[in-house]
Amino acid sequence: MFYLISTLLMVFLFGLRIFLAQKYFNQLPLGSDSAFKDSDYTVLQPILSGDKRLSDCLQANLDHTQDMQFIWLVDQNDSLAQDICQTIIDKQTNPSRIRLILCENVSDNLNPKVFKLQKGLKLVDTVYTVVLDDDSIIDKTVLPQIKLYAALPDEWLVTGIPYNDDKENFWSALLAAFVNSQSFFTYFSMAAVKDSRSLNGMFYFAKTATFKNHRLFEQIQDWLCDDLALATVCRTEHIRIIQSSLFCQVRTTVQSGWQYLLLLKRWLLFANVFIKQNFSFSFLLIAFLPAVLPLLLLSSSLLWGWHGLLWGLGLLTAKAFAQRLFRRHILKKEESLSALGFECLNDLLLPFIYLYTLITGPVIVWRQRKIRVADGKIRYVSFQSL
């Protein structure tokens, strides 16, 4: 009976997610007849060295734009990031559209990324401000869609949707499968039921006046989970959060299983903070239960022998295939069949990683510092090996 219930529940919930995501996507504007003037936009990018693809990602965004302004915010003691940025600037035919700003160290109670954004915002004199992570690339094909939101009369903040196309090695592909199997179906589905309580912190934009008048970065400068904090402040300030279909490619290279585990642990701890502060029935159905059901299904299928196990694995594969078809429909690009295997593997690993997260405690290492993740605020502790 438990096996039947878990099977039916899994089919229903994943079908519901795909239905809601498709319904929301169908409602989104996907084209614009008006010309896109990218000189009206300034991109704020907090930059930190460490990923070997940093230079490629920064260059790609320059290649995808013509007159868009960029403010690169780099730590004073990050000489590698400074060298990478300066090398790119020196090669540009129009280097004046890039400003390289060196940022001093911040006190322990401030978020370094948000501190950089606050510092960079003071230098913005264009109508719109775009916030973009240094491992994210704005998809060139969707750039003109940004114009669709410019004429909205009320105060708004538009958030993009991440798509990870990093397949460099096994662990990078596994992380990509995690991101792609969650982002579209969580962000779009929550938006469909009008219950968006967070945003994609890798790529979002609003009128510069909105950022400045509401002191958005200043209000979240002591938060660790800046995307959750920003969404919370936007709701408080009556700024409408708009989930768009503006895709940004994310390339986070993962070199080892240990790095993959720690990265997932960090994201899951952030999810815990979200659950404590924003748990809802919609979140339960759309995000939480779908994360634990695959393992429950496979575990219960073992009671029925190898026939049940094959049936459970078949359902997982069918679910991954349906989600792959959805992504192909909206992204207009083909994924390799190996993505199915990585997505199924993620479904099975995620509950165990979450259990590891609970057992090892709410502590992460971020920017060579140890932080306790309890309430979403910056709380450094003395460094000890994990």
Side-chain angles (χ1 to χ4, degrees):
M1 178 62 68
F2 178 74
Y3 178 66
L4 178 61
I5 292 175
S6 60
T7 299
L8 293 176
L9 192 58
M10 177 176 166
V11 171
F12 170 73
L13 289 181
F14 281 101
L16 178 65
R17 290 216 305 178
I18 292 177
F19 170 77
L20 290 174
Q22 182 66 64
K23 179 182 177 182
Y24 184 76
F25 180 75
N26 289 341
Q27 298 171 354
L28 292 173
L30 299 178
S32 176
D33 295 330
S34 57
F36 174 59
K37 186 180 178 183
D38 67 358
S39 60
D40 288 339
Y41 297 80
T42 296
V43 176
L44 295 180
Q45 281 192 286
I47 295 174
L48 189 67
S49 63
D51 196 305
K52 64 181 182 179
R53 289 189 173 181
L54 175 61
S55 178
D56 293 338
C57 291
L58 296 178
Q59 183 62 57
N61 285 305
L62 295 173
D63 294 340
H64 290 177
T65 58
Q66 183 175 353
D67 297 312
M68 190 175 284
Q69 306 295 303
F70 285 81
I71 297 179
W72 288 345
L73 303 149
V74 182
D75 293 330
Q76 286 182 342
N77 59 357
D78 193 347
S79 57
L80 178 57
Q82 293 175 34
D83 291 342
I84 291 173
C85 292
Q86 192 59 57
T87 299
I88 295 174
I89 292 173
D90 291 341
K91 295 179 181 179
Q92 300 304 305
T93 57
N94 182 18
S96 61
R97 71 184 181 117
I98 307 170
R99 298 184 66 177
L100 177 59
I101 306 300
L102 303 185
C103 302
E104 62 272 22
N105 293 330
V106 300
S107 58
D108 283 353
N109 64 327
L110 298 181
N111 184 314
K113 175 183 175 182
V114 177
F115 173 80
K116 289 179 179 178
L117 292 174
Q118 188 175 351
K119 186 181 183 73
L121 182 64
K122 296 176 182 178
L123 306 174
V124 177
D125 55 10
T126 54
V127 180
Y128 306 99
T129 297
V130 180
V131 176
L132 189 67
D133 275 2
D134 59 8
D135 62 351
S136 302
I137 302 171
I138 304 176
D139 195 312
K140 185 177 182 178
T141 61
V142 302
L143 266 175
Q145 293 179 30
I146 293 179
K147 181 68 176 178
L148 296 170
Y149 302 95
L152 294 176
D154 55 348
E155 291 194 293
W156 47 266
L157 183 143
V158 174
T159 177
I161 194 82
Y163 174 74
N164 193 314
D165 65 347
D166 194 337
K167 309 294 192 300
E168 181 169 299
N169 56 45
F170 177 87
W171 298 109
S172 295
L174 193 60
L175 183 71
F178 172 81
V179 172
N180 298 337
S181 65
Q182 299 296 326
S183 63
F184 294 96
F185 306 101
T186 300
Y187 286 124
F188 281 170
S189 298
M190 293 296 284
V193 296
K194 296 180 170 52
D195 196 23
S196 297
R197 303 192 181 204
S198 188
L199 53 86
N200 168 29
M202 301 173 184
F203 170 42
Y204 58 88
F205 68 95
K207 294 177 181 177
T208 301
T210 298
F211 283 108
K212 291 184 176 181
N213 293 343
H214 293 276
R215 302 178 295 106
L216 293 185
F217 295 137
E218 183 178 342
Q219 291 196 59
I220 65 171
Q221 60 185 341
D222 60 341
W223 280 76
L224 175 63
C225 312
D226 52 278
D227 46 2
L228 173 59
L230 185 59
T232 302
V233 171
C234 283
R235 292 198 303 273
T236 302
E237 299 285 339
H238 305 291
I239 300 169
R240 184 159 58 109
I241 298 175
I242 302 173
Q243 178 60 62
S244 73
S245 60
L246 295 166
F247 308 114
C248 65
Q249 298 174 357
V250 181
R251 295 177 177 175
T252 306
T253 304
V254 183
Q255 299 292 354
S256 66
W258 180 243
Q259 185 182 357
Y260 169 82
L261 178 64
L262 293 184
L263 185 56
L264 263 293
K265 176 183 177 179
R266 187 176 78 185
W267 289 351
L268 290 174
L269 285 174
F270 291 171
N272 279 351
V273 174
F274 177 90
I275 291 172
K276 291 177 183 178
Q277 300 177 359
N278 295 277
F279 192 83
S280 65
F281 182 69
S282 300
F283 179 81
L284 175 68
L285 290 182
I286 292 172
F288 184 79
L289 285 178
V292 300
L293 272 176
L295 183 63
L296 291 178
L297 172 66
L298 211 61
S299 298
S300 61
S301 69
L302 292 175
L303 301 176
W304 296 86
W306 67 271
H307 290 93
L309 181 62
L310 288 178
W311 175 250
L313 289 173
L315 275 179
L316 286 184
T317 304
K319 184 270 296 181
F321 186 75
Q323 295 190 158
R324 176 176 177 267
L325 288 178
F326 176 82
R327 291 192 296 269
R328 185 176 69 177
H329 170 60
I330 64 175
L331 290 167
K332 309 302 181 188
K333 62 173 60 177
E334 192 73 42
E335 293 179 345
S336 66
L337 288 176
S338 64
L340 299 178
F342 283 114
E343 187 169 328
C344 292
L345 184 57
N346 262 299
D347 286 338
L348 300 177
L349 289 177
L350 189 59
F352 291 109
I353 295 176
Y354 186 65
L355 181 61
Y356 168 82
T357 299
L358 296 178
I359 293 174
T360 54
V363 176
I364 63 172
V365 175
W366 185 52
R367 298 169 63 96
Q368 290 77 53
R369 298 291 301 276
K370 194 175 182 183
I371 298 178
R372 182 172 301 279
V373 183
D375 55 1
K377 297 294 185 71
I378 295 282
R379 305 204 183 276
Y380 289 105
V381 296
S382 58
F383 189 88
Q384 299 174 3
S385 60
L386 289 176

